[in-house]
Amino acid sequence: WVSLSPVSTQNIRIDFGSPLSDKPEGVNGSPITKYHVEVAAGKNEIQEVLISSQVTIEEAENNEFKLSFLGEETGCISVDTSVEAMAKAIENIDGVGKISVT
């Protein structure tokens, strides 16, 4: 188990314990002697997305597109989707947190 608690805007407290499925020593490998913890900070930034095409929207077959981030991509997004649906599609990409679309 792992528990994260904010201490301040700059610090977090990390508490951890043995695995919940702890078995007698020797049954599930060597005893735990250390943990490796990695913490990444979020970053506020503004990104502009410009979509262009060689055909007009009326000529396009599906009127949809996909966005990708760090090798992950959204499902198909309609060109006339709402900002809420656009945000949800982007937030479903692994590694993306809560976002705002305007």
Side-chain angles (χ1 to χ4, degrees), residues 5-13 39 41:
S5 306
V7 176
S8 70
T9 58
Q10 299 288 322
N11 299 294
I12 60 171
R13 176 185 169 134
V39 179

Side-chain angles (χ1 to χ4, degrees), residues 47-61:
Q47 295 186 357
E48 182 178 12
V49 176
L50 175 62
I51 301 168
S52 63
S53 175
Q54 299 296 324
V55 297
T56 67
I57 290 175
E58 293 77 21
E59 295 172 323
E61 192 170 309

Side-chain angles (χ1 to χ4, degrees), residues 50-77:
L50 175 62
I51 301 168
S52 63
S53 175
Q54 299 296 324
V55 297
T56 67
I57 290 175
E58 293 77 21
E59 295 172 323
E61 192 170 309
N62 295 322
N63 298 329
E64 297 175 334
F65 62 95
K66 293 181 180 183
L67 297 174
S68 63
F69 178 73
L70 298 176
E72 300 286 327
E73 68 179 28
T74 65
C76 292
I77 301 170

